[in-house]
Amino acid sequence: QMSNGSSITEFLLLAFADTRELQLLTFWLFLGIYLAALLGNGIIITTIAFDHRLHTPMYFFLLNLALLDLGSISTTLPKAMANSLWENRAISYLGCAAQVFFFLFLMTAECSLLTVMAYDRYVAICKPLHYGTLLGSRACAHMAAAAWGSGFLHAVLHTASTFSLPLCQGNALDQFFCEIPQIFKLSCSDSDYLGEAGFLVLSACLILGCFVFIVLSYVQIFRAVLRIPSELGRHKAFSTCPPHLAVVSLFISSGIFAYLKPPSISSPVLNLALSFLYSVVPPAVNPLIYSMRNKELKDSL
């Protein structure tokens, strides 16, 4: 037990398994997911960067998404893999703060970017004649910059307020990476983190706002698509939209639930499952969903 917050020099992350065999199994599983995410996102980035036919707003945003996915999965998994491999649970105080900052930065930026991508699809399908004016190269650059910028600002504020909490409930986190709700559990008293908890609720409302905007965009898209006379045109639009919506829903709902659920329904298995759903699954699955159903990208590849 620690006497006060300033004396914590490291945190202990969740040990996945008690036996060496299971630890190694965890390592190989994580390595497989990580390499798949690196490969998938790396292929998307290089294909879009080198094929000038793909230099359109949709692919520009997709390139940004792949960069964010690479960053976010690289923030959490390598450390977890190293810990499993070397039977070590420790992460330094600064390392933990860095993990919280980068993870929040990339995840918030991804949320903003997914909103921008939904808007891009909406304009492309519902207002095709205005596409060139509404999504010119400057507008696209501004939108992408706003997504990255909002993520950065959000992460700075959250990280600063989380790590200014006095911690005196030990230093063990029930999670495979440094996650804000787990750090809250170590705070000295409930009143300490009321301000930060209020801040979390505000963030959740903003993210929920993004989600509502995305859903409304897709509703408009579906309505427009149903008016398309050709069977082929309808099929093309329907084949891309539902998978996008499914991934976005999974990512946002599991993230919000992980951060806002009451401590009474907290269990290590539930915490782990939720964090896996919003931190590991999207970066690994996005390349498949956004590229496998995309003929232009496949042809270019």
Side-chain angles (χ1 to χ4, degrees), residues 13-17 20-38 70 72-91 99 175-178 276 280:
L13 296 173
L14 181 71
F16 271 115
R20 190 70 190 125
E21 289 76 19
L22 278 174
Q23 279 176 339
L24 288 173
L25 185 68
T26 310
F27 168 77
W28 288 111
L29 177 71
F30 273 7
L31 184 65
I33 295 172
Y34 186 55
L35 290 177
L38 286 186
L70 269 186
S72 65
I73 202 162
S74 298
T75 305
T76 55
L77 276 195
K79 180 65 182 162
M81 291 191 304
N83 285 10
S84 288
L85 190 61
W86 287 304
E87 295 188 86
N88 170 29
R89 291 172 55 198
I91 181 168
Q99 219 176 33
Q175 194 53 275
F176 70 95
F177 63 97
C178 285
F276 210 76
V280 176

Side-chain angles (χ1 to χ4, degrees), residues 57-118:
M58 181 173 120
Y59 293 106
F60 169 69
F61 294 134
L62 193 54
L63 174 87
N64 276 274
L65 184 72
L67 285 170
L68 288 167
D69 279 337
L70 269 186
S72 65
I73 202 162
S74 298
T75 305
T76 55
L77 276 195
K79 180 65 182 162
M81 291 191 304
N83 285 10
S84 288
L85 190 61
W86 287 304
E87 295 188 86
N88 170 29
R89 291 172 55 198
I91 181 168
S92 70
Y93 188 84
L94 275 177
C96 191
Q99 219 176 33
V100 166
F101 170 77
F102 282 110
F103 186 69
L104 272 179
F105 166 35
L106 297 160
M107 281 297 171
T108 311
E110 177 152 335
C111 219
S112 308
L113 191 72
L114 289 167
T115 312
V116 170
M117 288 170 81

Side-chain angles (χ1 to χ4, degrees), residues 235-298:
H235 174 72
K236 190 182 173 191
F238 271 123
S239 69
T240 54
C241 294
H244 294 191
L245 204 50
V247 172
V248 172
S249 306
L250 179 77
F251 167 59
I252 291 180
S253 56
S254 57
I256 287 181
F257 189 60
Y259 278 70
L260 292 188
K261 68 179 185 332
S264 55
I265 52 168
S266 183
S267 75
V269 177
L270 178 68
N271 292 343
L272 203 57
L274 282 171
S275 65
F276 210 76
L277 281 178
Y278 77 82
S279 68
V280 176
V281 173
V285 175
N286 276 346
L288 287 173
I289 282 187
Y290 285 95
S291 60
M292 285 304 146
R293 297 175 167 276
N294 188 311
K295 190 175 181 305
E296 290 175 340
L297 201 59
K298 281 196 284 195

Side-chain angles (χ1 to χ4, degrees), residues 125-126 218-228 234:
I125 291 171
C126 302
Y218 277 115
V219 168
Q220 294 294 335
I221 289 169
F222 287 142
R223 285 175 59 186
V225 166
L226 290 172
R227 291 198 291 268
I228 295 175
R234 278 208 298 266

